[in-house]
Amino acid sequence: MIDSDIVQNAPVGIFVVDKNDNFTVFNKSMEFIYGLLADDVVGKNLLLAFPEHTLGRKEGIRDLFLESKASLQQSSRKNVPVITPTNRLSYQSISFVPLVNESGAYDGMIGYIEESIEHISSEKGLLDEISSAREQSSVYRDIPIMVFRWSAENGWPVLFVSQNISQLGYTKKEFESGAIRYIDIVHPDDREKLLLDTLRFEMAEKVYFSGDYRLLSKSGDTVWVNELSLIKKEGDIPFRYDGIVIDITKRKQAEASLQTEHDRLERITSSMGIGLAVISRDFHTVWANNVLKDIFGDVENKLCYEIYNNRQDICEKCAVKAVFENSLDRSVSEQYGTDKDGNPIWSQIIATPIKDEDGNITAAMEVVVPLTERKLKEIELNESKARIESILRSAPVGIGVVRNGIVEDVNDMCCDILGYSREELIGQNTRTFFEVGNAYSDVESVMKSGIKEHGVGTMDVQARRRDGNIIDLLISATPMYSDNHSKGISFTIMDITEKKRNERELKKRSAELEQLNRLKDLFSDIIRHDLLNPAGTIKGYSEILEELEEDENKLNLLQMIRESNKRLIDLIENASKYEKLNSIDEIDYSNDNLVEIFQRTILDFEQPLKQKNINVSLSSEGPCVYAVNPLVSEVFANLLSNAIKYSPADERINVHFHKNESSCKVTVADHGDGIPDEDKAFVFNRFKRLDKKGVKGTGLGLAIVKRIMELHNGSYGVEDNPEGKGCVFWVTFSKADM
C-alpha cells in the first residue's frame, strides 16, 4: 500500500525503513532531492546511505532520526541546510514518523522531506559563492547578473554592488556612498507590490526571496529583472540581504511577443469557434485555447481521450494517434464525447505533426471543429424521417404517391384496402382500380378541378379490389409540386364502404322516423282535442247526475265515474304538457322570486290541504331571485302535489330554501311511507309511479319536474327524510346572468 503510485509520484520526498533501518520505499521526489536512484538505495541501511551532510549545525538528519526512533515520537525540523550526496545545498523541512508493532515496539520509520524553495535551488550555490567573493565583482562586468548586499533599513540602502551596475548607467560609488537607495531605482508602478511581497516574505520566515519586477536605468529606460536574495537575521529581525539581480528584459519582451501572438490566435480561433490544442506523445493536452476550455473545462495536462471523448482508452479512429503511429502530415477523424456539463458533443479532429530540429514528431497540433449543431440536425432529421415513415406505415388511412398515372409508393394500409401487396401495387396504372362505370374519368375530372380551385381534390368513388369486390373509397389528392402536377401527386384513400352502407341504412331509418313522428303528432292532436272533449262532457253530465240522484249506491257509482274521469283528464293534460316540454330545447328566462312562486303554488292547493288537515311550513332567509321561466311553477306544483298525496292526514309538509352565493336548493319534505333506496333512481322517469296504496296518479308529474329542471340547467333528486318517515324531494337552481 505504501509503495503505491500515489506515494511514488507525490510532490514531497517520502521514504520508509523497516525495523532494521533498511530502506523499503524511496520515491521519485527523494531521488530528485538527493540525486540518488531508488534501485541503489532500497535494501541499504539509512545511517550508511545518509552520512552526515548537514551544513553549519551539529544536529543533522541522522541525529533527528535517532531521536525519533528512541522516543517513538514524531519529530520535525524546518529549513535544515543540507549538502546532498551530489554536493548540492538544499534547505529542507524534515519529518519522521516512527512505526510500532502490536506490542508497541519500534517497527520502522516513515520520513517526509520537502525542499523549502525547490524552484531556486540551482541558484543558491551560485548566490553563496558570489556573496563571499565581493572583491572579484569585476568578473561580472559583462554578464547580466548584478550582485547586491542590501541593508534591511527603510529604502534598502546598498552596502555592496558589483561593478557591472554600470549596465544600468549607474556607478558602484553612487550606491555604496548612500547617494542612491535601491528603492529609488525600482519602477514607481512596482514599488508598492515589491514592498508588500518582501513584507510577506519576512513574515513567512522564509530564507530565500525571489520575484520579477522592473528597474529604471539612469537614462529612464525600463529594465525587467529577477531577484534572488538570501536573508540574514539576528534573532527574528533581518539586518541585510545578499542577492543577485538578473536582467530578464529580453525574456520579458519575448514573453510579451508570445502573449500577443497567443492573444491574436485566440481571437481568430474564438471568432471562428475552432478549438486548438497541442497533444503530447503520451496523449496529454500540453496547451489548449479558450474555445476548448469553454467547451471541456480545465483540459491542460489531462489525457485527451478522457476529457474530450469520455473514454478510458485511446479512440479507435483517433487522428492524433494516426499522426504519431503513421507519421502522417495530416489526419482527419470525427469524434463523439461530452462537454463539461455532460451534454453530447461531436467534433471533427484535424491533426498535424509538431517536429523538432531533427524531424522527429514530438507532439501534434489538434484542430477541433465543432459539428454538434450539424450532427443534432442530422439526428433530428433521421428521427423525423423514421417517425414519418413509421406514421405512414401504420397510418389508419391508405397513403401513396402517383407520378404520371403510375403508383410510385404506398403504405401498408393502402395495400390492405385494395387487396394487393406493396410490390404488386408499385408500378401499377391507377386506371386499374377505377374500371367501375365512368369512375376513372370522374376521378380525373374532379381531382383536377379540386386541385385547381382549392389545392386539394376530394371525392367519393367506387373502386375494384384485387379480389373483384367493389368498395367505396374517399380519395384526396394533393400535388407534390405546385408548378407541375404531373411531377407527382400524393393521395390518401379511406375505405368508406361500411360508412356508405350505414348512410343508406340511416337514410331509410330517417324516413321511417319521420313517418313515426307524423303519427306521434297525430296522436298528440287526438289527445289534446278528441279525448279532452268527451272527457269534459262526461265530467259535466256526472256532476249534473250527482245533484239529481238521491240513491246512495248510485251516488257512489257517480262519484267513482267522476274520480276516474278526473284522472283521465289529468293524464291527458300531463301527457300534453310532457309532450310539449320534450319538443322544447330552449326557454326564455326572467328574474323572479322563487319564494313568492312557491307561496302562490300553496294557495292553489288550499282545498286538498284542508281536506287532509295538512299544514305547509315554508322557511327562507329572505327572497331567492333567480333567472327562471314561468314553467318553474309546474315544478313546485308537482312536488307539493306529491307531498300531499303521500302524506297521512294531520301531518306537516316542510318547504325550505337553502341559499349560497351561487345556487338555491329547494326541499319539500313529507312524512309519508318513504321510497326504498333501489327505487329512488327511477321515480323521475316517465310513467314510473311506485305502488302506493290508495294513491292515484299518472306517473308523469316527476317526469315533468325532471324535464323542466333540465331546461333550467338545474338538478333534482330525492332522499330520506332525516326527521324519520317520509321523503325529501329537492331541486337546485344556479345563478345565471341575464
Side-chain angles (χ1 to χ4, degrees):
M1 292 295 292
I2 294 177
D3 195 14
S4 66
D5 287 342
I6 296 175
V7 171
Q8 284 299 322
N9 295 289
V12 298
I14 301 175
F15 69 83
V16 181
V17 296
D18 59 19
K19 62 183 179 180
N20 298 317
D21 299 336
N22 295 323
F23 284 105
T24 60
V25 175
F26 198 84
N27 76 346
K28 294 179 181 178
S29 293
M30 287 294 296
E31 290 182 333
F32 176 78
I33 294 171
Y34 282 93
L36 301 174
L37 295 178
D39 291 343
D40 297 333
V41 173
V42 172
K44 293 184 178 180
N45 191 278
L46 177 142
L47 299 176
L48 297 176
F50 279 4
E52 187 61 53
H53 287 290
T54 305
L55 177 68
R57 58 187 297 169
K58 295 180 180 180
E59 186 180 26
I61 296 177
R62 289 191 302 175
D63 298 323
L64 187 61
F65 173 81
L66 294 173
E67 175 188 321
S68 184
K69 179 179 178 180
S71 65
L72 293 181
Q73 299 292 322
Q74 179 177 345
S75 58
S76 61
R77 296 288 186 275
K78 291 184 177 180
N79 299 326
V80 178
V82 176
I83 301 297
T84 70
T86 56
N87 292 321
R88 185 173 67 87
L89 174 61
S90 172
Y91 278 78
Q92 300 174 358
S93 293
I94 303 169
S95 294
F96 290 118
V97 180
L99 303 174
V100 294
N101 58 23
E102 295 179 355
S103 61
Y106 174 75
D107 199 35
M109 186 81 70
I110 300 177
Y112 301 93
I113 297 181
E114 183 177 8
E115 286 196 294
S116 299
I117 312 176
E118 181 180 345
H119 65 282
I120 61 167
S121 59
S122 60
E123 287 85 3
K124 293 175 185 173
L126 176 62
L127 179 60
D128 291 335
E129 184 179 344
I130 292 174
S131 297
S132 63
R134 192 179 305 175
E135 55 279 346
Q136 298 181 19
S137 59
S138 60
V139 176
Y140 308 104
R141 184 177 295 111
D142 298 323
I143 61 174
I145 300 176
M146 293 162 281
V147 180
F148 280 90
R149 170 170 284 178
W150 300 276
S151 169
E153 298 173 14
N154 183 38
W156 301 317
V158 177
L159 304 178
F160 165 79
V161 64
S162 59
Q163 200 74 7
N164 61 350
I165 189 65
S166 60
Q167 296 178 45
L168 299 180
Y170 302 102
T171 65
K172 177 180 174 66
K173 184 178 180 181
E174 285 177 309
F175 281 99
E176 293 182 352
S177 65
I180 301 176
R181 299 174 306 171
Y182 189 75
I183 195 69
D184 297 331
I185 67 171
V186 176
H187 196 287
D189 293 343
D190 291 347
R191 285 175 187 171
E192 184 177 354
K193 181 179 182 301
L194 182 60
L195 288 168
L196 288 174
D197 288 348
T198 307
L199 179 61
R200 282 194 291 266
F201 159 72
E202 292 175 354
M203 294 176 64
E205 297 184 354
K206 294 183 178 180
V207 178
Y208 286 97
F209 171 78
S210 176
D212 293 351
Y213 53 89
R214 290 168 292 180
L215 298 179
L216 291 175
S217 70
K218 197 166 187 177
S219 61
D221 295 331
T222 299
V223 179
W224 275 97
V225 297
N226 172 257
E227 176 188 336
L228 299 172
S229 302
L230 172 65
I231 187 171
K232 301 293 184 180
K233 294 183 179 182
E234 290 182 353
D236 294 330
I237 301 175
F239 68 90
R240 78 165 190 264
Y241 291 90
D242 290 340
I244 59 174
V245 174
I246 305 172
D247 187 343
I248 58 171
T249 304
K250 290 183 179 180
R251 190 192 83 191
K252 284 291 184 179
Q253 290 173 344
E255 288 176 357
S257 176
L258 182 62
Q259 186 63 44
T260 300
E261 183 63 22
H262 173 271
D263 293 343
R264 186 180 72 85
L265 186 60
E266 282 282 6
R267 287 194 300 273
I268 294 173
T269 55
S270 296
S271 64
M272 297 173 64
I274 294 175
L276 288 181
V278 175
I279 309 298
S280 65
R281 294 290 305 228
D282 59 357
F283 295 94
H284 282 79
T285 301
V286 178
W287 169 85
N289 71 344
N290 289 333
V291 172
L292 275 188
K293 292 177 181 177
D294 289 342
I295 297 173
F296 296 105
D298 183 16
V299 299
E300 292 184 355
N301 299 319
K302 296 182 180 179
L303 290 167
C304 61
Y305 50 82
E306 286 186 355
I307 199 71
Y308 304 144
N309 307 108
N310 198 24
R311 292 172 57 95
Q312 297 301 313
D313 51 5
I314 301 171
C315 306
E316 184 179 350
K317 297 182 179 180
C318 176
V320 173
K321 177 183 176 183
V323 167
F324 290 152
E325 293 184 352
N326 304 320
S327 301
L328 299 179
D329 290 332
R330 186 174 185 270
S331 179
V332 181
S333 66
E334 285 191 8
Q335 299 290 345
Y336 167 79
T338 55
D339 64 14
K340 60 186 178 183
D341 298 321
N343 300 314
I345 184 168
W346 286 265
S347 307
Q348 182 185 60
I349 309 298
I350 304 171
T352 55
I354 298 175
K355 301 180 180 180
D356 59 16
E357 294 178 355
D358 298 327
N360 299 315
I361 298 176
T362 58
M365 173 63 74
E366 185 178 70
V367 179
V368 182
V369 182
L371 300 177
T372 304
E373 186 175 353
R374 191 193 82 188
K375 282 290 185 180
L376 289 176
K377 287 182 178 179
E378 286 179 2
I379 292 172
E380 183 180 358
L381 182 62
N382 290 334
E383 289 178 350
S384 177
K385 182 180 178 182
R387 189 162 52 248
I388 291 172
E389 288 181 355
S390 175
I391 292 171
L392 292 178
R393 291 290 180 195
S394 60
V397 297
I399 302 174
V401 175
V402 171
R403 202 182 299 272
N404 295 321
I406 303 300
V407 177
E408 191 172 272
D409 199 3
V410 289
N411 72 342
D412 294 343
M413 181 56 70
C414 189
C415 298
D416 292 343
I417 291 173
L418 296 175
Y420 291 85
S421 67
R422 189 166 181 270
E423 291 73 19
E424 289 173 330
L425 277 177
I426 293 176
Q428 192 76 266
N429 192 303
T430 54
R431 186 183 294 272
T432 305
F433 317 119
F434 303 112
E435 292 180 345
V436 183
N438 296 321
Y440 183 78
S441 58
D442 292 343
V443 170
E444 193 173 34
S445 174
V446 172
M447 290 300 167
K448 285 183 178 179
S449 175
I451 290 172
K452 184 177 180 181
E453 293 181 17
H454 310 292
V456 58
T458 304
M459 71 174 294
D460 295 350
V461 65
Q462 287 192 322
R464 189 184 305 277
R465 282 173 50 88
R466 189 179 188 279
D467 57 14
N469 290 327
I470 304 300
I471 57 174
D472 291 291
L473 295 179
L474 173 63
I475 181 169
S476 298
T478 306
M480 298 172 65
Y481 304 92
S482 58
D483 59 335
N484 189 342
H485 298 174
S486 63
K487 285 186 178 180
I489 291 177
S490 63
F491 69 86
T492 62
I493 59 172
M494 291 181 61
D495 186 348
I496 58 172
T497 305
E498 187 66 24
K499 176 187 173 186
K500 285 291 186 180
R501 185 182 299 113
N502 291 337
E503 285 178 356
R504 290 189 287 269
E505 184 67 22
L506 181 61
K507 188 175 181 181
K508 177 183 176 182
R509 297 299 180 191
S510 295
E512 293 174 353
L513 186 59
E514 287 180 8
Q515 178 64 20
L516 290 173
N517 283 334
R518 284 194 292 270
L519 291 174
K520 183 186 69 122
D521 293 340
L522 177 61
F523 180 69
S524 297
D525 289 340
I526 291 172
I527 290 176
R528 284 192 293 268
H529 303 291
D530 297 344
L531 291 181
L532 268 180
N533 287 335
T537 302
I538 293 171
K539 179 177 180 293
Y541 282 118
S542 63
E543 289 174 350
I544 293 173
L545 288 174
E546 279 189 74
E547 292 176 0
L548 297 176
E549 187 60 59
E550 294 181 357
D551 187 298
E552 191 69 27
N553 291 330
K554 291 180 180 179
L555 283 172
N556 287 336
L557 291 173
L558 286 171
Q559 187 177 0
M560 290 175 63
I561 292 171
R562 180 167 54 81
E563 288 296 328
S564 295
N565 190 64
K566 183 180 181 300
R567 289 197 300 274
L568 177 61
I569 292 172
D570 288 343
L571 175 61
I572 293 170
E573 288 178 346
N574 282 338
S576 178
K577 288 177 185 177
Y578 186 74
E579 183 59 32
K580 184 178 180 181
L581 288 171
N582 275 335
S583 64
I584 297 173
D585 292 326
E586 294 183 2
I587 56 176
D588 296 327
Y589 301 92
S590 61
N591 283 333
D592 209 338
N593 187 352
L594 297 176
V595 178
E596 291 182 356
I597 295 174
F598 210 113
Q599 288 171 338
R600 292 195 296 269
T601 302
I602 295 172
L603 294 176
D604 293 339
F605 285 85
E606 185 175 356
Q607 186 61 32
L609 288 169
K610 185 176 181 181
Q611 288 176 355
K612 297 183 73 171
N613 193 29
I614 294 175
N615 291 323
V616 178
S617 173
L618 187 148
S619 62
S620 175
E621 296 179 0
C624 296
V625 179
Y626 282 78
V628 295
N629 186 275
L631 288 170
V632 75
S633 61
E634 289 285 341
V635 173
F636 294 158
N638 278 294
L639 294 180
L640 185 56
S641 174
N642 258 19
I644 294 171
K645 287 178 186 178
Y646 297 115
S647 291
D650 304 321
E651 272 291 356
R652 185 182 74 257
I653 296 172
N654 296 321
V655 180
H656 189 71
F657 288 78
H658 309 265
K659 294 190 298 181
N660 58 35
E661 293 182 358
S662 60
S663 66
C664 177
K665 184 177 183 180
V666 184
T667 61
V668 179
D670 62 56
H671 294 80
D673 294 333
I675 300 173
D677 290 341
E678 61 269 19
D679 294 331
K680 286 186 175 69
F682 308 107
V683 295
F684 288 90
N685 291 347
R686 183 178 59 176
F687 297 115
K688 182 67 177 178
R689 183 174 62 79
L690 303 180
D691 185 16
K692 294 289 184 179
K693 220 172 187 184
V695 178
K696 309 298 183 182
T698 64
L700 283 171
L702 291 179
I704 291 172
V705 171
K706 173 184 176 182
R707 180 57 185 159
I708 293 174
M709 291 310 298
E710 288 173 349
L711 291 171
H712 280 81
N713 294 317
S715 55
Y716 52 88
V718 62
E719 55 197 36
D720 293 336
N721 191 339
E723 295 181 5
K725 291 177 62 178
C727 294
V728 177
F729 283 85
W730 57 267
V731 291
T732 301
F733 297 88
S734 298
K735 287 283 188 183
D737 296 330
M738 289 298 294

